[in-house]
Amino acid sequence: MHRLRTTFARLRPLTAAQTAQRLSRGLRTFQPTRCPNESVAAEPFLNGTSSNYMEEMYYTWLENPRNVHKSWDIFFRNANAGALPGAAYQSPPPLSRTSQGIASVQALAGGQVNVEKLVEDHLAVQSLIRAYQVRGHHIAKLDPLDISCVDFDDAPSFEIFPYHGLFLFHTLSPLSGLGAPFPHVNVFTTGFYGLAESDLDKVFRLPTTTFIGGNESVLPLREIIRRLEAAYCQHIGVEFMFINDVEQCQWIRQKFETPGVMQFSLEEKRTLLGRMIRSTRFEHFLLHDEFTIVGHNCFTQNVFFGVQGSGDVKYHLGMYHKRINRVSDRYITMSLMANPSHLEAVDPVVQGKTKAEQFYCGDTEGKRVMSILLHGDAAFAGQGIVYETFHLSDLPSYTTHGTIHVVVNNQIGFTTDPRMARSSPYPTDVARVVNAPIFHVNADDPEAVTYVCKVAAEWRNTFHKDVVVDLVCYRRNGHNEMDEPMFTQPLMYKRIKKQKGVLQKFVEKLIAEEVVTTQEYEEEVARYDKICEEAYTRSKDEKILHIKHWLDSPWPGFFTLDGQPRSMSCPSTGISEDELLRIGNVAASVPVQDFTIHGGLSRILKGRANMVSQRVCDWALGEYMAFGSLLKDGIHVRLSGQDVERGKFSGDFTHFFSADLLHSHRHHVLHDQNVDKRICIPMNHISPDQAPYTVCNSSLSEYGVLGFELGFAMASPNALVLWEAQFGDFHNTAQCIIDQFISSGQAKWVRQNGIVLLLPHGMEGMGPEHSSARPERFLQMCNDDPDVFPVMSEDFAVHQLYECNWIVVNCSTPANYFHVLRRQILQTFRKPLIVFTPKSLLRHPEAKSSFDDMLPGTHFKRVIPEDGPAAASPDKVRRVIFCTGKIYYELTRERKNRGMDDTVAIVRIEQLSPFPFDLMKAETDRYLNADLVWCQEEHKNQGYYDYIKPRLRTTITNTRTIWYAGRESAAAPATGNKQTHLTELQRLLDTAFDLKAFSGKP
């Protein structure tokens, strides 16, 4: 009981609303226990029976002490004064007939009553109401097949049995006089609540936490139960009491408990029938009987759908359509996202595209653009990406201000029953983690479905938070029309064969209600069938397939200029000296007054200023130059990923710089050291009319966040959208997005996308989890032919880019990184860009670029040839080492130490795919007397070797051999032992520079 006293003491200074929230988090789960010396009689209302009621009474007391019984008033006053609950309770003085509170109920009861018994009865009623609100959905009639309910055929006529902690009476016939709307199961209190059947006609004052009374404040217990049954135990099951917001809970209670709230007018019923006819008859017309959903929302101008495919269906491609919303009389744009058979993979993509559309139209509250996600029940419960997507819902840089999730609950996953497909009671339980209300509804009740969808839309429009609609239905034909479901679900499909279709059931109901006649129904069916036939006839005249019809975002105006296709050539990606200086000075400054930064940052900014004065860039400054110049030109830049604001990479860099600067290099967001949450983003201070820069630390997710950024990049071609892995290795948990959307995006979905993946890569002795971005995987998925030397033509390099499925680069200089990022926007088409970014090169003293390499007229270098003594005398060169990435710096250091600068040439391949056949041919032809060696730090079965070797063989004009220098094949990407790592590195360097090393096979 000491815990209870302490809780009340803490709550004393809070407002009523704050108290309610605190209580909902704390006291809701608290079950009071008595101290050994405390008498039961001293606290009859503080036992386990009433613990659920305490928070409501305290909340009401805080609003006005006169709203509660005097005994509660005395108790709360004493408890707040520090008394133990056993001593806090005192029997109240006798009440007069004119007293407020309990006196009015006494009068309704017909006279003086036992106060303690009356209080306990009211507490019991309150607990009963709460039980319906918490547990009513468990016994709602949600299954159209009626096979998931408890079968009472063999049950005794009266029994008590515990159901999820709630004791229920189950009877085969209604309790006396209760009425017969609920013949399936009657829920009533037992001794658990302290009420009996004799209490059915007693009148009870309703608490403030229910709306079942409408305009009435008191009701007989019989009517209370009837209204609760109607609200929570029919064709709609509402899960919401886990939400820790009182206002939101009250909002939902009002939507479902208010008497008559679900009544439809005759016109609304006829409209609903018309929509069902169109849906059902269209499927019938196509000889396709799959379940179809038509989305409708009257609050927004743009709606994005994500639909799950299953490999053998025809709706993988997307679409884009405008129509008039008859409610608002405004045009509404609907986009259907292209989606793979990888279930739920499209979820974060839809969210990212929705966020982008909100961003571009200035919709900061989600009032003009929204998303609707359609899920399957088994996939919703089974796929982890659902959880990752939900957890983006309230993050500042990822929220779409509420999504409506519609779960098409067929009660089966292909052939797997729910009891084998999930451990939770419902497929929708994952939504509880973000306090999203869940509305379960029997899909054979179109009016209930319509009402629930309306409430879901209003919820999203009111609170801008996620909401789930669980449509409990069934699959009439199994997994598809050719499936035989009787193999594995014989009893279910015996029931389905007897089940009337939802349209037939609804029509029979409306005819019985005299809403429509049989003739009117048949005329409406014939009218719509004629529309379908006429449309099919017109379709035969269509001769051209317009690709734009299958795009969710057609990018109007991007691919043409003045009505003509845009030029394929790409302008110089360099910028002026003045612009470099201006951006560099911003990067080295704090453009906000009275802003205190960390001392270590002061040294970093000073170092940047020194580089600008010396006209050089390191990796972070080169990136700054690329981003800043694009922002100045009105191109939005969005950088997302784990810790990207600071730029956290680990590596063995201690021989390059001091320990206090480890693990960070970017610092695009500065934090005031004296003011909490005060930040400065210098990149947003480059130019008055610049585009905004968005840099956001993501949640610890790769699959969900990469999908989100992919969707963001889909919305517009005029934005540079980048996702950075904390380590390149970690992209493997986002592999589904890479395989299904990025590498094959244009081939599968007939659309282009310019997303950039930044994957830190490099063998730094950090072990197998933090070394390799697995370049072999990306290169294996490139679509260029290794065995065909392409025909050389004007703008060959640009045409290569246009024809490839994605671009893979491993830049070794800040200038080349600068150029490849700018090229991504300046070229006249969009391709995904995979960048293997460095770790140790971030501050390597040799990995710097001069401003001269970034001025107008400069370009991205696909290949960086040898420019030292070896290049001056190519006939004397005995070996050409081809490499990519940071191994170049280890090779040049080793070459210098061995005094071989004039006999060994080192050529860097910066763009791996599409392969630079033209430039590589020029390099191999220059050194005709030299051995050709591919050197990499990765293991032989990994990295670039298997991609490079056949293309180099196709490139060379004679029988010269391509030798390999690198680590041997291995199962893991790297050793976890630093000494072993260094030994392996020295071994591969020895091989690369031993001019007599290659006597066996390449």
Side-chain angles (χ1 to χ4, degrees):
M1 296 309 294
H2 174 71
R3 289 170 53 196
L4 179 61
R5 179 172 61 83
T6 305
T7 299
F8 280 133
R10 284 200 304 265
L11 289 173
R12 197 180 312 153
L14 300 179
T15 66
Q18 291 170 326
T19 300
Q21 292 175 354
R22 183 71 62 84
L23 284 168
S24 68
R25 292 193 298 268
L27 290 182
R28 180 168 296 157
T29 58
F30 174 66
Q31 297 292 330
T33 56
R34 292 187 298 273
C35 296
N37 297 328
E38 293 174 344
S39 67
V40 177
E43 48 172 301
F45 55 93
L46 279 181
N47 55 31
T49 307
S50 58
S51 60
N52 289 333
Y53 186 55
M54 186 178 300
E55 63 179 276
E56 310 294 353
M57 294 300 294
Y58 189 66
Y59 175 56
T60 304
W61 177 77
L62 284 175
E63 290 180 337
N64 189 339
R66 292 187 298 175
N67 288 345
V68 300
H69 182 252
K70 186 65 175 176
S71 61
W72 280 111
D73 182 31
I74 295 172
F75 173 78
F76 288 132
R77 291 181 188 276
N78 290 340
N80 272 355
L84 290 171
Y89 173 74
Q90 299 175 13
S91 297
L95 296 176
S96 67
R97 288 283 181 158
T98 59
S99 297
Q100 295 188 10
I102 206 67
S104 59
V105 182
Q106 285 180 283
L108 289 169
Q112 186 72 29
V113 295
N114 183 297
V115 173
E116 286 194 18
K117 176 63 166 67
L118 189 59
V119 170
E120 289 201 1
D121 286 351
H122 274 77
L123 296 182
V125 171
Q126 169 69 7
S127 296
L128 177 65
I129 293 172
R130 185 181 181 84
Y132 272 98
Q133 293 168 342
V134 175
R135 303 292 189 186
H137 58 89
H138 284 298
I139 54 173
K141 295 177 287 187
L142 302 176
D143 184 7
L145 302 176
D146 199 29
I147 58 178
S148 63
C149 299
V150 179
D151 188 354
F152 294 105
D153 289 345
D154 300 323
S157 59
F158 186 83
E159 67 172 332
I160 303 173
F161 104 98
Y163 192 82
H164 290 273
L166 169 66
F167 283 81
L168 309 175
F169 268 126
H170 295 281
T171 64
L172 295 180
S173 59
L175 288 173
S176 57
L178 188 59
F182 322 113
H184 67 297
V185 56
N186 285 307
V187 185
F188 186 62
T189 180
T190 70
F192 181 74
Y193 292 121
L195 296 171
E197 189 171 352
S198 59
D199 294 316
L200 282 172
D201 293 317
K202 288 183 180 179
V203 176
F204 293 88
R205 180 170 296 279
L206 298 173
T208 59
T209 54
T210 186
F211 292 86
I212 60 173
N215 295 326
E216 303 170 90
S217 59
V218 295
L219 286 175
L221 179 57
R222 187 188 311 279
E223 182 63 12
I224 291 174
I225 294 174
R226 191 193 71 78
R227 295 190 185 189
L228 289 170
E229 285 270 341
Y232 292 112
C233 302
Q234 297 309 293
H235 287 165
I236 298 173
V238 188
E239 278 191 275
F240 70 102
M241 289 293 283
F242 55 83
I243 297 175
N244 55 13
D245 186 288
V246 173
E247 178 189 1
Q248 293 175 9
C249 288
Q250 287 290 78
W251 189 92
I252 294 174
R253 289 175 182 130
Q254 185 174 25
K255 291 296 181 182
F256 290 95
E257 293 182 355
T258 303
V261 74
M262 282 186 274
Q263 292 179 354
F264 287 80
S265 67
L266 295 180
E267 186 59 31
E268 288 173 330
K269 292 182 179 181
R270 294 174 70 92
T271 300
L272 178 55
L273 175 62
R275 291 177 178 175
M276 291 184 63
I277 289 172
R278 291 199 298 270
S279 173
T280 305
R281 296 305 296 177
F282 181 69
E283 294 174 2
H284 184 266
F285 177 78
L286 296 177
L287 300 178
H288 198 286
D289 222 0
E290 288 186 346
F291 195 84
T292 300
I293 296 177
V294 178
H296 171 75
N297 183 272
C298 63
F299 298 113
T300 58
Q301 296 174 349
N302 295 272
V303 179
F304 298 97
F305 292 87
V307 180
Q308 311 306 321
S310 60
D312 51 355
V313 294
K314 310 302 185 290
Y315 49 84
H316 281 258
L317 292 175
M319 57 79 68
Y320 178 91
H321 180 61
K322 283 189 175 182
R323 64 180 292 271
I324 284 286
N325 185 330
R326 300 300 179 186
V327 177
S328 62
D329 200 30
R330 293 187 300 178
Y331 272 101
I332 182 170
T333 301
M334 293 187 293
S335 297
L336 175 70
M337 299 287 289
N339 63 97
S341 293
H342 288 62
L343 300 175
E344 307 293 335
V346 79
D347 295 357
V349 184
V350 171
Q351 300 299 74
K353 185 172 187 295
T354 303
K355 182 68 174 180
E357 297 288 354
Q358 292 173 347
F359 174 83
Y360 293 126
C361 71
D363 183 13
T364 58
E365 297 179 352
K367 293 183 177 180
R368 297 173 57 191
V369 183
M370 66 168 290
S371 56
I372 299 175
L373 285 173
L374 279 79
H375 311 268
D377 54 325
F380 198 71
Q383 296 294 312
I385 189 59
V386 176
Y387 177 86
E388 290 191 37
T389 304
F390 265 112
H391 263 284
L392 297 176
S393 63
D394 263 350
L395 302 183
S397 298
Y398 302 88
T399 180
T400 58
H401 308 285
T403 296
I404 296 178
H405 300 262
V406 180
V407 178
V408 183
N409 186 348
N410 292 320
Q411 308 185 72
I412 190 173
F414 192 3
T415 65
T416 304
D417 293 332
R419 65 180 181 270
M420 299 177 181
R422 64 176 185 264
S423 299
S424 57
Y426 295 112
T428 54
D429 287 344
V430 65
R432 295 166 65 106
V433 300
V434 293
N435 281 328
I438 304 167
F439 305 140
H440 309 279
V441 59
N442 187 319
D444 261 12
D445 185 344
E447 291 170 293
V449 171
T450 300
Y451 182 76
V452 159
C453 290
K454 177 176 179 291
V455 172
E458 291 177 355
W459 165 274
R460 193 267 173 192
N461 190 56
T462 302
F463 297 106
H464 297 285
K465 290 183 174 294
D466 285 29
V467 58
V468 177
V469 176
D470 178 20
L471 294 175
V472 185
C473 46
Y474 58 91
R475 285 194 315 232
R476 185 167 291 277
N477 295 315
H479 192 60
N480 55 48
E481 289 78 359
M482 301 181 68
D483 182 36
E484 176 47 84
M486 295 288 287
F487 289 146
T488 47
Q489 279 76 33
L491 299 182
M492 171 185 278
Y493 277 88
K494 285 179 183 178
R495 184 72 61 91
I496 290 174
K497 288 180 179 180
K498 299 176 182 178
Q499 187 84 357
K500 292 181 180 179
V502 60
L503 177 59
Q504 181 183 353
K505 295 171 78 172
F506 188 53
V507 167
E508 291 175 355
K509 178 179 181 292
L510 295 190
I511 292 174
E513 295 175 354
E514 299 183 350
V515 174
V516 296
T517 65
T518 301
Q519 180 179 351
E520 289 173 329
Y521 164 67
E522 292 174 349
E523 289 174 352
E524 184 64 24
V525 170
R527 185 181 302 113
Y528 184 72
D529 285 351
K530 183 180 179 182
I531 291 173
C532 291
E533 291 291 349
E534 291 175 348
Y536 177 66
T537 300
R538 290 195 305 272
S539 71
K540 296 179 181 179
D541 296 331
E542 293 288 337
K543 306 299 183 184
I544 301 175
L545 174 64
H546 296 281
I547 295 299
K548 66 180 182 180
H549 293 165
W550 302 99
L551 299 177
D552 53 86
S553 293
W555 292 357
F558 175 69
F559 297 102
T560 59
L561 183 63
D562 298 328
Q564 299 297 322
R566 296 177 65 184
S567 170
M568 289 286 290
S569 62
C570 179
S572 167
T573 48
I575 61 177
S576 69
E577 179 102 10
D578 287 343
E579 194 169 352
L580 289 169
L581 290 172
R582 181 165 55 252
I583 298 171
N585 288 331
V586 171
S589 68
V590 183
V592 174
Q593 296 295 323
D594 301 321
F595 195 96
T596 305
I597 63 173
H598 189 276
L601 274 178
S602 298
R603 293 191 295 275
I604 290 178
L605 297 186
K606 184 178 180 180
R608 286 180 183 173
N610 289 336
M611 282 191 290
V612 173
S613 66
Q614 297 170 17
R615 300 182 67 254
V616 296
C617 286
D618 65 0
W619 200 268
L621 191 54
E623 182 181 72
Y624 222 107
M625 297 296 190
F627 289 0
S629 59
L630 292 173
L631 292 168
K632 178 181 174 296
D633 292 338
I635 300 299
H636 173 55
V637 178
R638 177 182 170 94
L639 173 63
S640 168
Q642 295 157 22
D643 308 300
V644 296
E645 294 179 3
R646 207 176 87 184
K648 176 184 179 295
F649 300 107
S650 297
D652 184 14
F653 312 154
T654 53
H655 55 295
F656 294 134
F657 50 90
S658 60
D660 65 328
L661 300 181
L662 286 172
H663 312 317
S664 56
H665 78 293
R666 185 174 284 129
H667 295 294
H668 284 185
V669 179
L670 310 180
H671 293 260
D672 195 308
Q673 299 297 296
N674 299 325
V675 182
D676 186 34
K677 299 180 182 178
R678 188 184 184 210
I679 63 172
C680 170
I681 303 177
M683 198 88 76
N684 280 325
H685 296 264
I686 291 174
S687 175
D689 55 351
Q690 70 170 78
Y693 175 48
T694 303
V695 53
C696 38
N697 287 344
S698 73
S699 65
L700 206 64
S701 158
E702 288 83 31
Y703 191 173
V705 173
L706 178 56
F708 188 97
E709 301 308 329
L710 176 73
F712 199 102
M714 286 180 179
S716 172
N718 300 313
L720 182 65
V721 180
L722 310 96
W723 173 76
E724 183 173 76
Q726 191 175 66
F727 285 94
D729 314 51
F730 299 163
H731 80 262
N732 51 21
T733 56
Q735 198 68 45
C736 181
I737 297 296
I738 294 170
D739 291 352
Q740 302 305 318
F741 288 100
I742 301 179
S743 70
S744 57
Q746 187 167 348
K748 288 174 64 175
W749 315 125
V750 294
R751 68 160 305 132
Q752 296 183 5
N753 193 295
I755 191 170
V756 179
L757 273 62
L758 304 179
L759 307 177
H761 171 84
M763 311 285 274
E764 314 284 359
M766 294 193 65
E769 297 294 300
H770 305 86
S771 297
S772 177
R774 294 291 193 173
E776 65 276 4
R777 297 180 181 175
F778 293 93
L779 294 172
Q780 189 270 334
M781 291 187 282
C782 294
N783 65 350
D784 58 335
D785 192 331
D787 302 320
V788 177
F789 191 85
V791 176
M792 294 295 124
S793 63
E794 187 178 1
D795 291 331
F796 167 74
V798 177
H799 282 277
Q800 263 198 317
L801 295 176
Y802 182 78
E803 294 169 0
C804 74
N805 62 317
W806 60 13
I807 305 165
V808 181
V809 302
N810 187 359
C811 302
S812 61
T813 69
N816 234 15
Y817 180 49
F818 160 87
H819 283 296
V820 80
L821 292 179
R822 286 184 50 79
R823 186 184 73 173
Q824 191 70 358
I825 290 296
L826 294 181
Q827 61 194 8
T828 57
F829 48 85
R830 294 291 176 262
K831 299 286 178 172
L833 173 63
I834 313 300
V835 184
F836 299 118
T837 58
K839 294 182 288 184
S840 62
L841 298 191
L842 295 179
R843 294 194 183 87
H844 195 293
E846 297 177 31
K848 286 185 170 62
S849 296
S850 168
F851 279 13
D852 292 338
D853 296 328
M854 305 161 75
L855 294 176
T858 58
H859 294 266
F860 171 73
K861 295 179 180 179
R862 294 177 292 146
V863 172
I864 301 180
E866 172 65 55
D867 60 356
S873 303
D875 294 340
K876 297 180 180 179
V877 173
R878 298 182 58 190
R879 176 162 295 171
V880 179
I881 300 177
F882 296 103
C883 66
T884 187
K886 70 105 172 172
I887 190 66
Y888 166 78
Y889 294 95
E890 288 158 337
L891 288 170
T892 55
R893 184 176 65 250
E894 187 71 14
R895 181 178 63 177
K896 183 177 181 179
N897 291 339
R898 291 173 180 255
M900 303 176 71
D901 287 350
D902 56 348
T903 57
V904 176
I906 303 176
V907 178
R908 285 170 276 177
I909 304 180
E910 302 280 290
Q911 178 177 293
L912 297 154
S913 181
F915 189 73
F917 283 98
D918 54 336
L919 300 180
M920 290 303 291
K921 178 173 174 54
E923 291 303 308
T924 55
D925 288 350
R926 176 184 297 182
Y927 305 101
L928 293 176
N929 300 324
D931 294 333
L932 303 180
V933 175
W934 173 256
C935 181
Q936 66 178 33
E937 57 184 350
E938 297 81 10
H939 291 282
K940 190 174 185 178
N941 59 322
Q942 300 165 32
Y944 319 91
Y945 179 58
D946 286 338
Y947 176 85
I948 294 292
K949 181 179 179 180
R951 287 164 177 80
L952 270 178
R953 284 180 171 175
T954 300
T955 300
I956 57 180
T957 57
N958 49 37
T959 58
R960 298 163 74 185
T961 298
I962 308 300
W963 302 98
Y964 170 79
R967 288 175 168 86
E968 297 299 321
S969 296
T975 177
N977 182 281
K978 185 62 178 290
Q979 188 57 48
T980 302
H981 164 79
L982 294 175
T983 300
E984 291 174 346
L985 176 61
Q986 190 57 51
R987 186 183 299 128
L988 74 87
L989 293 174
D990 290 342
T991 303
F993 288 99
D994 183 355
L995 300 183
K996 299 180 181 180
F998 302 114
S999 57
K1001 294 182 179 181

